Amino acid sequence: MKQLLVMKFGGTSMGSAERMQIAANIIATEQARRPVAVVVSAMAKVTDLLLETLRRAELGDRQVVDSNLRTLLERHVEACDELLGTEAASKYHDLASQAVQSLVAEFQRIANGVLMLGERPPRSVDEAIAIGERLSSVLLAYYLEWRGVPARSINGADVIVTDAVFGNASPIMDLTEQRCREKLVPLLAAKTVPVVTGFNGATRAGQPTTLGRGGSDFSASILAAALDAAELWIWTDVDGIMSADPRLVDNALVLNEVTYAEAAELAYNGAKVLHPRTLAPLVDKQIPVWSKNSFNLAAPGTKIVSKLDQPKGVRAVTSMSNVALISMEPANSVLSGTRLMARALDALALDNVEVLVFTSSSYRQSFCFLVRKQDVPAALEAVESNLQLELAHGYLKPIEVDENVGLLAVVGEGMRGTPGLAGRVFTAISKEDVNIIAIAQGSSELTIGIIVSRQGMEKAVRAVHTACELGMKKVHA
Ligand code: ADP
Ligand code: ASP
Ligand code: MG
């Protein structure tokens, strides 16, 4: 849609009535100029609260479930009162508070079901945790209406059609485009702002799904692509994409521009500022993306573009801590290492286990791969059942799992033409006495992934950031 701006507000940008008022100001200003569609996260920490409540429900801990439900209700009732508590707004206050009560009751019904069953079926979890976004979306939409900005809360499940991988679903783009044409385009044409819940979707058959933690960024990019938006702005709590996680590195710098490829690598390798799959839907259509700070409107933010005139060397260092390294080694050279790798990867793919890094080396063709910690049981189950006979007959050594590791990644389009860079990075890490366990560099030379011992990861990030001079000078795009 011509000139359409899609804006996504993250958890902290929706974290209180005050933050929602600022979001509404931004929406009102932009909506006066062009069509605007909005995607919202749940209020900060609400998704954690919902997940924890379901976990406690599974354990039969009714007290905690009840107390969490009270917290959930109070937090949203308080925001509702602050946003719409005046006499003049009473009509919108009543509508919003009724919606809040009934959404909390919906969550309570699912939590009660989990309490009774003593288990958390993945599809019920997805249905329940999307309620965080549905709550924030109704609050913002009614507040916008009260402010005179026509708006409508939309459940992402009604517009984003996904596969049935609960907890980490992928969009089916043609069906999503069709739903967007039916449900969102008429609203936009009538100058009404759709306030769509991030994070969730539904299968063709209508079963609720979610897109993985942090998935509201992905929802926004799916909708921007489906609606042929002119731009996507992602509002968060830092000035843009930075040379490192500012919580780890004091002097991390905001990057003025990064490429889609760089941003995708950064996100994939742990930069929480973007969900790993955010960029994929946008690349084909070349939709420009901005990462902006709703706490600092004066900061220009980071622009994500298709190409930089002069690619710079290293742009950023990222890290990931909740990971585990799984190592496999044939006991002798009778087995084809390549075939073993193929079978292991095939088994992992079939069970939807994402392999973050894969390396292999040596005459014996031992190999190892990095997965998220939460995926370790599924990964082991997948490879062990596929290679049952080889393990039982001792052709394959017992599979090893090392959970005491972290991933550090160095990212930049221009690294290709920078000789000596890998040496500088490895020297910086070893000077800190941090053990390097495995290394992976793709032929694109866009990223070097380095698996290090977990306890040394943070200091390795700081050392590499300094050695690559990322924080010492202003990084111009
Ligand atoms: P939101 O709720 O808006 O989606 P997130 O908490 O998911 O926000 O992502 C923003 C956070 O990402 C920042 O507060 C910052 O701590 C973290 N972060 C990690 N790596 C980076 C990076 N390279 N650049 C910017 N922020 C980063
Ligand atoms: N609320 C979801 C989460 O916390 C999605 C998001 O905020 O992007 O994971
Ligand atoms: Mg996020």
Side-chain angles (χ1 to χ4, degrees):
M1 187 179 202
K2 234 178 124 211
Q3 289 194 315
L4 173 69
L5 171 66
V6 175
M7 289 198 285
K8 176 256 173 177
F9 294 89
T12 42
S13 304
M14 293 292 289
S16 62
E18 192 197 339
R19 300 311 315 165
M20 288 191 206
Q21 280 162 341
I22 289 168
N25 292 344
I26 297 171
I27 295 165
T29 310
E30 294 305 325
Q31 201 259 354
R33 301 183 182 140
R34 50 182 154 174
V36 168
V38 168
V39 174
V40 292
S41 284
M43 294 177 80
K45 307 255 162 47
V46 164
T47 311
D48 291 337
L49 179 73
L50 299 179
L51 280 164
E52 175 62 8
T53 308
L54 297 176
R55 197 179 68 80
R56 294 302 194 113
E58 185 179 38
L59 297 173
D61 200 341
R62 180 171 283 282
Q63 255 188 351
V64 174
V65 171
D66 288 345
S67 124
N68 286 1
L69 279 163
R70 277 195 298 276
T71 309
L72 182 69
L73 185 63
E74 279 162 15
R75 179 116 187 252
H76 291 90
V77 166
E78 185 184 294
C80 181
D81 291 349
E82 280 178 40
L83 288 169
L84 297 161
T86 58
E87 188 59 39
S90 68
K91 176 180 143 201
Y92 295 102
H93 180 273
D94 291 352
L95 289 167
S97 85
Q98 272 162 25
V100 165
Q101 308 275 351
S102 79
L103 285 167
V104 173
E106 198 175 324
F107 181 77
Q108 184 168 22
R109 266 198 308 279
I110 304 175
N112 280 340
V114 173
L115 264 167
M116 259 162 49
L117 279 174
E119 65 173 301
R120 282 175 291 172
R123 61 190 67 187
S124 307
V125 170
D126 276 5
E127 181 173 7
I129 60 178
I131 288 173
E133 270 68 14
R134 289 169 64 196
L135 283 161
S136 62
S137 149
V138 291
L139 288 178
L140 183 61
Y142 281 123
Y143 179 66
L144 283 166
E145 287 260 292
W146 152 241
R147 294 256 314 247
V149 180
R152 178 88 54 82
S153 166
I154 300 283
N155 187 345
D158 293 333
V159 283
I160 296 185
V161 184
T162 71
D163 62 15
V165 179
F166 298 99
N168 194 25
S170 299
I172 302 170
M173 284 310 283
D174 52 342
L175 296 180
T176 301
E177 278 165 23
Q178 195 182 321
R179 293 281 176 91
C180 286
R181 275 196 298 275
E182 287 162 16
K183 310 245 172 199
L184 302 184
V185 171
L187 288 176
L188 291 164
K191 295 195 167 25
T192 298
V193 177
V195 182
V196 186
T197 61
F199 190 37
N200 69 328
T203 64
R204 246 179 266 245
Q207 292 167 324
T209 54
T210 57
L211 306 170
R213 290 307 306 270
S216 298
D217 298 327
F218 193 25
S219 306
S221 74
I222 293 167
L223 293 178
L227 288 163
D228 263 322
E231 274 183 48
L232 167 61
W233 295 5
I234 295 182
W235 290 98
T236 184
D237 60 357
V238 285
D239 283 352
I241 298 177
M242 304 175 77
S243 57
D245 184 344
R247 287 169 303 186
L248 289 187
V249 178
D250 289 343
N251 64 342
L253 281 178
V254 179
L255 303 165
N256 301 341
E257 288 191 20
V258 297
T259 64
Y260 289 119
E262 287 171 335
E265 288 288 336
L266 280 166
Y268 184 78
N269 288 290
K272 193 185 170 227
V273 66
L274 285 178
H275 179 275
R277 293 191 281 165
T278 310
L279 279 312
L282 304 166
V283 177
D284 278 352
K285 295 190 171 166
Q286 303 274 300
I287 298 172
V289 190
W290 287 86
S291 165
K292 285 172 171 283
N293 190 354
S294 76
F295 292 73
N296 180 13
L297 301 184
T302 300
K303 187 175 188 191
I304 306 176
V305 294
S306 45
K307 208 165 153 266
L308 291 178
D309 292 341
Q310 284 178 311
K312 304 284 167 186
V314 176
R315 309 301 310 282
V317 190
T318 64
S319 59
M320 245 170 136
S321 52
N322 279 323
V323 290
L325 189 68
I326 301 185
S327 304
M328 298 176 64
E329 187 179 351
N332 52 48
S333 45
V334 174
L335 287 185
S336 150
T338 310
R339 195 161 300 149
L340 274 181
M341 288 178 221
R343 284 174 58 190
L345 287 173
D346 195 37
L348 292 166
L350 275 174
D351 282 9
N352 292 308
V353 176
E354 193 171 1
V355 172
L356 302 166
V357 171
F358 184 94
T359 69
S360 94
S361 62
S362 90
Y363 165 68
R364 281 266 168 82
Q365 302 218 343
S366 62
F367 59 97
C368 60
F369 52 89
L370 195 75
V371 297
R372 292 189 181 84
K373 254 187 203 162
Q374 81 219 36
D375 288 341
V376 168
L380 285 179
E381 163 79 30
V383 286
E384 282 175 353
S385 60
N386 189 296
L387 294 161
Q388 216 170 6
L389 283 179
E390 289 76 1
L391 282 162
H393 293 296
Y395 290 117
L396 198 58
K397 292 192 181 168
I399 297 172
E400 282 176 23
V401 180
D402 187 352
E403 299 211 334
N404 191 21
V405 297
L407 172 69
L408 178 155
V410 186
V411 177
E413 290 249 25
M415 289 188 345
R416 209 176 340 229
T418 318
L421 195 121
R424 210 186 315 162
V425 169
F426 297 137
T427 308
I429 298 175
S430 56
K431 270 199 187 141
E432 296 293 321
D433 261 339
V434 175
N435 194 16
I436 295 180
I437 299 163
I439 301 163
Q441 182 182 26
S443 53
S444 69
E445 290 185 46
L446 192 64
T447 300
I448 306 176
I450 304 165
I451 297 161
V452 294
S453 58
R454 173 65 193 88
Q455 59 273 29
M457 190 189 76
E458 281 88 356
K459 62 179 175 179
V461 168
R462 285 189 278 271
V464 171
H465 192 262
T466 306
C468 296
E469 299 177 3
L470 296 180
M472 275 157 51
K473 57 180 168 36
K474 177 99 181 91
V475 180
H476 295 289

